[in-house]
Amino acid sequence: MSKTHEIRLTQLDSVRLESALMEILRTSRTEPQGAAELEALLDSAAIVPPDSIGPSVVTMNSTVVLEAHPSGEQTTLTLVYPKDAATERSRVSVLSPMGRALLGARVGDLIRVVVPSYGERQFVVAALTFQPEASGRFDL
């Protein structure tokens, strides 16, 4: 994963992610894959009020359209908490490599992510079709 700008998270996402991470670590016998990386991401992120996050920033429960680079193939994913992940419904966990790469990304960003079984892939965040904060949904 590679990002060239400061990662911004809402206060609500930060609190919920910290809580989810603590619960996962408390109930798991071994540290889940991606937990340390997510913790590092949370530690380095700029935390902002939910109503001040830009409408082009990927937050939790956002739905994004990704364009594979250079093929142009598009896919739509929703970034979710680990308990809500469902690959068959295109709901990707924030603990996954793709989820961590998406968190805090902006429309137009090129993200690099190591996808299991595929190696490193590059995607452009082509569109944000739903962001809870931009829709006034601070309960998600």
Side-chain angles (χ1 to χ4, degrees), residues 77-133:
L77 300 173
T78 300
L79 180 62
V80 298
Y81 295 94
K83 66 179 180 55
D84 300 322
T87 53
E88 70 281 358
R89 292 179 36 220
S90 299
R91 297 173 61 85
V92 63
S93 169
V94 69
L95 282 179
S96 72
M98 178 62 80
R100 291 190 313 273
L102 285 173
L103 186 62
R106 293 170 172 80
V107 173
D109 281 356
L110 175 70
I111 59 173
R112 292 176 176 87
V113 61
V114 176
V115 179
S117 302
Y118 292 98
E120 183 178 283
R121 304 238 358 237
Q122 295 182 32
F123 300 90
V124 172
V125 180
L128 193 57
T129 59
F130 177 76
Q131 184 210 57
E133 294 79 9

